[in-house]
Structure formats: C-alpha cells, structure tokens
Amino acid sequence: MAVDPTRPFRPVNLAVLTVSDTRTLETDTSGAILADRAKAAGHHLAARVIVRDEVPLIVAQLNAWIDDSAIDCVITTGGTGMTGRDVTPEALDQVKDKDIPGFGELFRWLSFKSIGSSTIQSRACAVLARGTYIFALPGSNGAVKDGWDGILAEQLDSRNRPCNIVELMPRLMEM
C-alpha cells in the first residue's frame, strides 16, 4: 500500500454481515476477524449481524443498511460458494446498481496464492447499491483475511495512492 501521510485518514462506517445457517456471534470467527481488522484500521463498526442463507433475509438486511446514511460500506462473509444454500451473490443481484467486477477477480487472484485452483469455487463479488459499497467474501477465516488484508484495507484507506474508493464516496450518487 502506498499511504500518503500528508492526506487525512477518513474513517468509513462499516457493517459486517455474516451469512450462515449455523453460526452465532460467539462462533462467528470470520465476522469477528473483519470487525476487529476494520476497527484496528480506524474505521467505525456501525453494525454486525448474522442472517441465515436465505435471499429474502439477506436482501432485507442489505436494504436496511443501504438506506441507513450512517453506513458507507457493507462487508459480507459466507454464502459465496456453489452449493444450493450459497445465495449471497443472488441477494446482491437484487439490490445492486452496478457490479464491481475487479473485486472478485482480484480476490480470486490473491486467494490462488493461498489455496491454489480451489479458488474457482469462490463467487466473491462486490456491488454498488444506492451509494453503498457491498463486498461479499467467502466464510472462511483465510478468505476474509485475504480479502481484507489484500484489497479492502488499502481501498478503504483514504490515504492510499494512487487512488482509493473512499474518495469516490461523495460522488457515488451523481446523475
């Protein structure tokens, strides 16, 4: 990361959504990793919730956060695989205005270094929805570390050069 120390750090208001049929706040290690890393980076954790792998439940939670002006970005963990219960990308399709295809591409490239060709099983993705960034990561601890450490920590740092997604936030709703 190329941090420009002359630029001010602008904390981002983040929400973490874990998509799981089995996890609780006590057993949700991947959600905890994301929350801890975000807070350690200086961001505000606005909310952290667990919902079941059901499109209507995921969409309802995403819509609530998208409509909340106190939340700039949502990071989800879980539900990005290929089984029948993995429906996070389908939920994002229902709320998105724009895809951010480079996120999934870069995530799989980074993940390849850790898990090799098994990375093709990930449908990690990102969208923009009514001015809110949504990043969907797999549910494993390694995947959330790869996604945060390799992409999100840099792009959610307003000092990152040559550019970052934080500086785009005031312009996301332009017509």
Side-chain angles (χ1 to χ4, degrees):
M1 177 167 56
V3 170
D4 180 349
T6 66
R7 296 178 54 89
F9 177 77
R10 179 179 163 212
V12 175
N13 296 317
L14 299 170
V16 173
L17 177 64
T18 298
V19 177
S20 174
D21 289 335
T22 60
R23 294 184 188 181
T24 65
L25 281 177
E26 294 75 30
T27 62
D28 178 26
T29 54
S30 60
I33 289 167
L34 284 171
D36 291 346
R37 277 176 156 69
K39 289 187 283 186
H43 300 295
H44 300 286
L45 183 64
R48 181 174 169 211
V49 172
I50 299 174
V51 300
R52 294 180 54 79
D53 290 277
E54 296 179 20
V55 170
L57 297 176
I58 300 166
V59 168
Q61 185 60 67
L62 291 175
N63 276 324
W65 284 343
I66 292 164
D67 292 337
D68 185 342
S69 62
I71 295 177
D72 303 311
C73 176
V74 176
I75 306 172
T76 74
T77 175
T80 62
M82 297 186 296
T83 71
R85 296 292 295 159
D86 292 319
V87 295
T88 302
E90 288 75 15
L92 268 61
D93 283 344
Q94 291 190 22
V95 300
K96 73 178 180 184
D97 297 317
K98 295 181 180 184
D99 288 305
I100 307 173
F103 176 79
E105 295 163 358
L106 180 55
F107 173 81
R108 282 179 284 283
W109 180 78
L110 291 169
S111 179
F112 180 78
K113 296 176 183 180
S114 300
I115 63 170
S117 64
S118 295
T119 194
I120 68 164
Q121 297 178 40
S122 168
R123 297 186 303 143
C125 58
V127 301
L128 185 60
R130 301 189 306 277
T132 302
Y133 291 111
I134 305 173
F135 299 96
L137 293 169
S140 75
N141 292 349
V144 298
K145 290 174 185 175
D146 286 346
W148 180 267
D149 298 344
I151 306 170
L152 296 174
E154 292 182 6
Q155 283 300 299
L156 292 173
D157 189 327
S158 56
R159 303 165 299 171
N160 189 59
R161 308 314 293 136
C163 57
N164 60 77
I165 63 173
V166 177
E167 62 196 358
L168 299 176
M169 287 179 176
R171 299 180 45 216
L172 292 177
M173 296 299 289
E174 289 178 345
M175 299 302 268

